Amino acid sequence: RIDASASGMSNTAAEYSTALLRIGLSMIARHYAGFNAAHSSALDSLTDIATRYIRTLGTLILQSAQHANRSEANLLDVRLALEAIHAPPEQELLEFAREHELPFARDVAAFPVPAPSASAAGSAPVVRGAARLSAIPDYWPPFPDEATYKRTVSRDSRAGEVAP
């Protein structure tokens, strides 16, 4: 199982990822390894091993990008990570993927489900007081009424005086 706290995912995202990986691994076991059935515990173990492998690969890719002072990884980082774990050469992996294409057994829903936009919900942004500047996005809350920030009376509690 994918550990949500270690991966920075929500529990729902971790469960979704684990379920998809489990389905994919069972398809690979059936079509390429010739298994007709598997115990749930064996499939859980295989899913755990594949999760750790993918997490290790992702960590190595991230480290390679950070070492090169980049915030996003590129193909070179992937190549370096694959070399570090002694994976087959890139060309061999691509040939395998071309020869053994296997469509996923089910339709996969997008995750996370996108939230409906404000315009789709039919609600217009609320504008109080002055018109909203074009640089301010519509999803930000409106400015408060001018009376709250133009002149507010405050009391200095130490001196007992009223300051404008």
Side-chain angles (χ1 to χ4, degrees):
R1 267 188 207 274
I2 294 176
D3 181 14
S5 60
S7 64
M9 289 187 206
S10 68
N11 282 336
T12 308
E15 291 169 5
Y16 183 78
S17 302
T18 302
L20 284 179
L21 182 60
R22 185 181 170 99
I23 292 168
L25 289 172
S26 64
M27 289 174 54
I28 290 170
R30 181 178 185 138
H31 291 282
Y32 298 119
F35 287 95
N36 291 325
H39 285 280
S40 181
S41 60
L43 196 52
D44 286 342
S45 296
L46 185 60
T47 303
D48 186 50
I49 292 167
T51 300
R52 290 171 193 251
Y53 180 81
I54 292 168
R55 185 177 293 138
T56 300
L57 190 61
T59 301
L60 290 170
I61 292 168
L62 175 66
Q63 288 173 350
S64 178
Q66 288 176 340
H67 183 73
N69 212 12
R70 286 181 275 108
S71 59
E72 292 186 15
N74 60 27
L75 185 58
L76 178 61
D77 301 318
V78 175
R79 286 180 176 170
L80 291 171
L82 288 171
E83 285 177 15
I85 60 172
H86 307 292
E90 175 188 356
Q91 201 58 31
E92 201 174 313
L93 291 173
L94 290 172
E95 287 174 17
F96 178 83
R98 279 189 209 107
E99 292 172 11
H100 299 91
E101 186 174 339
L102 178 64
F104 207 70
R106 303 176 187 179
D107 290 334
V108 179
F111 187 87
V113 176
S117 66
S119 60
S123 62
V126 177
V127 178
R128 291 187 201 145
R132 187 181 289 269
L133 298 174
S134 63
I136 300 173
D138 289 337
Y139 54 85
W140 281 12
F143 284 117
D145 293 326
E146 281 189 27
T148 61
Y149 60 88
K150 284 289 184 183
R151 178 174 166 86
T152 302
V153 177
S154 63
R155 187 172 298 277
D156 187 357
S157 61
R158 291 175 282 171
E161 298 177 6
V162 174

